Amino acid sequence: MAGAGKSRKRRTIRPKQVKDVAHQEEVVRVLTNTLETADCPHMLFYGPPGTGKTTTALAIAHQLFGPELYKSRVLELNASDDRGINVVRTKIKDFAAVAVGSNYRQGGYPCPSFKIIILDEADSMTEDAQNALRRTMETYSKVTRFVFICNYISRIIEPLASRCAKFRFKPLSEEIMTHRILHICNEEGLNLGGEALSTLSSISQGDLRRAITYLQSGARLFGSTITSTDLLNVSGLFDIVVEADNDITDMQKAKICKCLAETDKRLVDGADEYLQLLDVASNTICALSEMAQDF
Amino acid sequence: MLWVDKYRPKSLDKVIVHEDIAQNLKKLVTEQDCPHLLFYGPSGSGKKTLIMALLKQIYGASAEKVKVENRAWKVDAGSRTIDLELTTLSSTNHVELTPSDAGFQDRYIVQEIIKEMAKNRPIDTKGKKGYKVLVLNEVDKLSREAQHSLRRTMEKYSSSCRLILCCNSSSKVTEAIKSRCLNVRINAPSQEEIVKVLEFVAKKESLQLPLGFAARIAEKSNRSLRRAILSLETCRVQNYPFTSNQVISPMDWEEYVAEIATDVMKEQSPKRLFLVRGKVYELLVNCIPPEVILKKLLHELLKKLDSELKLEVCHWAAYYEHRMRLGQKAIFHIEAFVAKFMSIYKNFLISTFG
């Protein structure tokens, strides 16, 4: 079929069941328990990109309600929807307030008597909007459960975080990653050598989605046999080897690290890379040559 | 027609500079389908050219028939409606727009307009391609919120729509977007490549290029192909046939910045600072971006300094550039940098020569 490429690969391998989610044992244990008792707390999933947060949330929602009730019981909002304070006050509140029928099993799904609101990428919500959620969460906790998903837990305000059960999603270990990638390669008929495999898991740094994107681009560009150099090409990374003598004192290291941290903050603020790099370089020179650093 | 546009390669096969990338792209789209793409690289390196050639490769000649439209949207944002105006460049199969034009309201563009465009399936007349392409320029200038909004749109509607993103620096694009795209790095062309292109253009225009002339233009061009071709054309207008020692005039604003640098080096006093302020204003009024001014000024100053001062000056340039991003009025920060430099330099002079 034309035009279902990128999504197709990821979607076909996106786990449909909670127990298939890789490498997040605690989360899986709690959620399986939820499935059995058909009850759950508010939840907050956080962790680096590509570790399966959204996947888990969607899987649990599907497993609780099944395809029929899913539409009426689950509200999924992400950053591509407007989530200002107005939406929280109207749309979310309205959805949360609706009462639902009592516990009855339907078609093999638990169908508990609450609804789920999934707020994906919650760290991009404004503080005001988050504040407006606090009371909503408490008032309607009988009929509604919230699932927040975010990358940085520090951007979720404390009152919200304390109302939720927090789950940290770890970056995937190399072992799990290689396992998953091999699985995909088998399904798609790709041929990946051992070296390429380890390169792929190291350049993607525990982010499974990125690994798959690289794999797919590599497959598209170089055919079904992919080598590690191909993958490096695709990722657009290049190695800058910083060779250091081992006699850097702790003081020097500390100075360099401080400077790197400051630069990172500036880059996040949108400063110009060229000037910032010059700054890092000059600071490093100062630190290494033990010059008095008075600026 | 300017030579820059006249000799822009129209198809992936005719690309001279980034041949390997072009071939890869071609392979990428032969199989019916392509991933989202993110092109990044310095200006004048050929990003747009490659994108246009790629579109032609996908959709054939129809991608070249573009119309420029100035469209207005009314976006309903809760209590108020926001009027947005945006210039789009569209053919039957693709739409090109610069969402960062909307300034701080870019979030609405992404959330409403791009989502709307992505949702609509293309009318598939001859069953050619099942998707259309949205080309977004200057993604690095998008605000964080807007970039956040983009990520889910990219996943959700990928069955009917591909995004091609284009930007100068990939570090300002969030990790989340980068991991959803195939990243394509477009290097600035090397001097030899620029020379090759210049010779190609000269041959087509049947001009006589003296030995080493193209190399000199390439050297002056700062590795920007666009600038090299433009200055070749300027030289052609100024004086033809070329003489081998013909002056290649640099950009006048660059000369002006160099002049400022000389001023600052000559005398460090409030009076001189006042004079420099006037000159900086002049540059800003002529729409030279402040960070470009600061960068060039640093460049000029570094040429004239001792190495021990260089480090410190670099630090302060970085510091004030950051402050400039956070603040509103660029003039304050450039002036602060100049003042800082003066004080450093004066101190240095006093301590060395008494």
Side-chain angles (χ1 to χ4, degrees):
Chain A
M1 188 187 115
K6 193 182 176 81
S7 62
R8 185 184 58 198
K9 176 167 286 182
R10 235 183 267 131
R11 207 166 291 151
T12 47
I13 55 133
R14 177 168 268 188
K16 287 275 186 308
Q17 302 210 318
V18 170
K19 65 174 165 50
D20 294 338
V21 173
H23 196 52
Q24 318 288 357
E25 294 83 10
E26 301 93 346
V27 185
V28 172
R29 209 178 315 134
V30 173
L31 291 182
T32 2
N33 194 15
T34 303
L35 278 177
E36 282 160 12
T37 59
D39 195 16
C40 76
H42 296 305
M43 283 180 288
L44 171 61
F45 295 164
Y46 66 102
T51 47
K53 299 178 296 296
T54 312
T55 310
T56 315
L58 291 179
I60 187 80
H62 275 289
Q63 273 187 288
L64 278 175
F65 298 112
E68 268 177 40
L69 274 176
Y70 182 82
K71 278 237 165 71
S72 62
R73 293 291 185 88
V74 179
L75 176 66
E76 192 200 344
L77 287 175
N78 54 54
S80 74
D81 308 297
D82 187 20
R83 287 185 308 190
I85 189 155
N86 263 319
V87 174
V88 172
R89 281 188 187 144
T90 55
K91 201 170 166 189
I92 295 185
K93 208 168 162 188
D94 289 350
F95 185 82
V98 177
V100 288
S102 58
N103 240 345
Y104 62 97
R105 283 190 164 260
Q106 197 187 40
Y109 294 102
C111 298
S113 61
F114 56 77
K115 301 176 295 317
I116 292 187
I117 297 183
I118 300 175
L119 290 173
D120 207 345
E121 292 143 24
D123 39 4
S124 69
M125 285 173 79
T126 59
E127 203 161 300
D128 290 340
Q130 294 187 33
N131 271 319
L133 266 180
R134 295 159 59 164
R135 193 38 57 86
T136 315
M137 281 177 75
E138 281 185 353
T139 322
Y140 303 111
S141 67
K142 270 220 176 87
V143 285
T144 307
R145 299 286 184 278
F146 281 84
V147 179
F148 296 94
I149 301 175
C150 64
N151 290 134
Y152 304 101
I153 196 172
S154 51
R155 304 227 179 110
I156 303 288
I157 57 167
E158 192 50 41
L160 277 195
S162 74
R163 283 172 170 80
C164 301
K166 279 176 247 171
F167 295 105
R168 176 164 187 275
F169 281 66
K170 312 180 275 261
L172 298 185
S173 73
E174 209 148 296
E175 204 179 320
I176 305 275
M177 187 90 110
T178 39
H179 180 75
R180 286 275 154 159
I181 292 169
L182 276 180
H183 174 71
I184 298 166
C185 288
N186 278 338
E187 296 230 321
E188 301 281 328
L190 296 177
N191 197 349
L192 207 63
E195 193 196 351
L197 204 59
S198 63
T199 317
L200 185 57
S201 34
S202 72
I203 51 176
S204 50
Q205 293 167 347
D207 181 344
L208 191 56
R209 174 175 49 219
R210 195 187 318 197
I212 297 172
T213 312
Y214 287 158
L215 185 66
Q216 188 173 18
S217 326
R220 186 62 54 66
L221 285 177
F222 304 106
S224 61
T225 312
I226 305 166
T227 63
S228 64
T229 33
D230 293 342
L231 286 171
L232 280 177
N233 269 337
V234 166
S235 66
L237 294 171
F238 41 92
D239 296 307
I240 300 173
V241 183
V242 180
E243 279 189 29
D245 299 328
N246 282 328
D247 51 1
I248 304 176
T249 62
D250 286 350
M251 193 60 201
Q252 286 170 336
K253 275 185 202 159
K255 272 184 189 164
I256 296 174
C257 286
K258 176 170 172 263
C259 152
L260 282 176
E262 273 175 10
T263 310
D264 182 55
K265 152 84 175 115
R266 288 186 194 161
L267 283 178
V268 168
D269 284 341
D272 186 84
E273 291 98 344
Y274 176 75
L275 290 173
Q276 297 303 333
L277 271 181
L278 273 180
D279 184 28
V280 171
S282 62
N283 263 306
T284 316
I285 294 172
C286 282
L288 289 182
S289 56
E290 306 253 351
M291 262 190 249
Q293 206 171 8
D294 49 359
F295 51 91
Chain B
M1 204 175 182
L2 285 176
W3 291 354
V4 181
D5 298 319
K6 200 168 162 189
Y7 297 109
R8 184 190 291 265
K10 292 280 186 315
S11 77
L12 286 175
D13 291 320
K14 290 194 187 129
V15 172
I16 305 177
V17 178
H18 296 287
E19 236 170 306
D20 44 339
I21 295 178
Q23 287 313 314
N24 277 344
L25 287 175
K26 202 173 160 192
K27 257 190 262 170
L28 202 66
V29 294
T30 40
E31 288 176 50
Q32 281 293 301
D33 186 19
C34 81
H36 297 301
L37 294 169
L38 170 69
F39 286 82
Y40 61 101
S43 63
S45 57
K47 298 182 293 295
K48 213 32 148 333
T49 310
L50 279 173
I51 292 176
M52 294 322 285
L54 182 71
L55 285 174
K56 199 186 167 200
Q57 181 76 33
I58 301 176
Y59 295 117
S62 69
E64 278 177 0
K65 285 186 203 121
V66 288
K67 59 173 191 277
V68 183
E69 254 180 304
N70 224 335
R71 288 163 70 177
W73 276 278
K74 272 198 168 47
V75 176
D76 195 25
S79 51
R80 65 218 158 97
T81 42
I82 297 168
D83 290 306
L84 292 171
E85 246 188 61
L86 208 63
T87 315
T88 60
L89 215 73
S90 56
S91 75
T92 41
N93 294 308
H94 88 280
V95 182
E96 184 185 333
L97 66 167
T98 314
S100 56
D101 279 352
F104 66 98
Q105 289 174 332
D106 52 1
R107 190 163 62 95
Y108 296 105
I109 301 243
V110 174
Q111 280 179 348
E112 302 294 329
I113 296 169
I114 294 185
K115 208 166 145 188
E116 198 58 47
M117 286 176 176
K119 256 186 208 166
N120 297 334
R121 292 192 137 270
I123 308 161
D124 212 355
T125 43
K126 286 163 209 136
K128 262 193 254 161
K129 302 281 173 191
Y131 59 90
K132 61 181 169 187
V133 172
L134 280 179
V135 181
L136 305 185
N137 292 324
E138 295 178 12
V139 223
D140 47 350
K141 297 223 176 76
L142 280 181
S143 63
R144 289 272 128 162
E145 293 83 36
Q147 292 193 28
H148 271 300
S149 314
L150 199 57
R151 39 200 262 204
R152 194 46 54 87
T153 309
M154 292 173 83
E155 279 192 349
K156 226 172 178 174
Y157 306 110
S158 64
S159 63
S160 62
C161 175
R162 295 286 176 283
L163 291 179
I164 296 183
L165 311 174
C166 178
C167 66
N168 283 135
S169 88
S170 71
S171 68
K172 282 174 200 155
V173 180
T174 58
E175 212 45 50
I177 289 188
K178 271 192 271 181
S179 87
R180 283 171 172 80
C181 297
L182 172 57
N183 298 2
V184 186
R185 199 169 93 94
I186 314 285
N187 290 338
S190 69
Q191 286 194 8
E192 291 82 58
E193 284 171 323
I194 294 182
V195 170
K196 221 164 93 188
V197 174
L198 289 179
E199 276 165 359
F200 168 79
V201 172
K203 204 172 129 204
K204 286 273 178 182
E205 286 285 317
S206 51
L207 300 176
Q208 291 290 323
L209 271 182
L211 200 67
F213 186 66
R216 270 175 56 218
I217 291 184
E219 198 183 327
K220 284 266 164 81
S221 69
N222 228 342
R223 290 181 69 190
S224 160
L225 198 54
R226 182 185 306 129
R227 205 165 142 185
I229 300 178
L230 277 175
S231 55
L232 178 69
E233 192 167 2
T234 321
C235 290
R236 162 81 173 78
V237 175
Q238 278 168 347
N239 186 8
Y240 187 79
F242 298 128
T243 50
S244 57
N245 55 355
Q246 183 175 344
V247 190
I248 300 160
S249 53
M251 302 286 207
D252 44 1
W253 68 268
E254 288 190 344
E255 275 179 348
Y256 207 66
V257 174
E259 210 179 295
I260 293 179
T262 333
D263 282 350
V264 176
M265 294 294 286
K266 262 190 208 142
E267 188 190 324
Q268 296 83 34
S269 65
K271 206 174 137 202
R272 189 46 66 99
L273 187 61
F274 182 69
L275 190 102
V276 168
R277 180 194 298 164
K279 289 192 172 177
V280 175
Y281 258 130
E282 178 86 30
L283 283 172
L284 286 174
V285 162
N286 283 308
C287 290
I288 312 287
E291 60 273 9
V292 175
I293 299 178
L294 194 66
K295 241 190 316 198
K296 186 73 192 166
L297 185 60
L298 176 71
H299 200 77
E300 292 294 330
L301 288 174
L302 285 186
K303 274 191 212 159
K304 306 177 183 185
L305 282 179
D306 290 349
S307 60
E308 41 193 311
L309 276 184
K310 272 182 189 168
L311 305 177
E312 202 173 339
V313 172
C314 280
H315 170 77
W316 286 112
Y319 177 81
Y320 285 112
E321 203 267 343
H322 173 230
R323 301 288 291 249
M324 193 156 77
R325 294 281 165 166
L326 297 181
Q328 295 288 329
K329 286 264 181 229
I331 182 78
F332 293 144
H333 304 282
I334 297 182
E335 204 177 322
F337 171 68
V338 173
K340 187 78 200 174
F341 174 78
M342 282 180 170
S343 110
I344 293 171
Y345 192 62
K346 189 114 188 174
N347 268 336
F348 171 75
L349 287 182
I350 291 172
S351 64
T352 338
F353 304 109

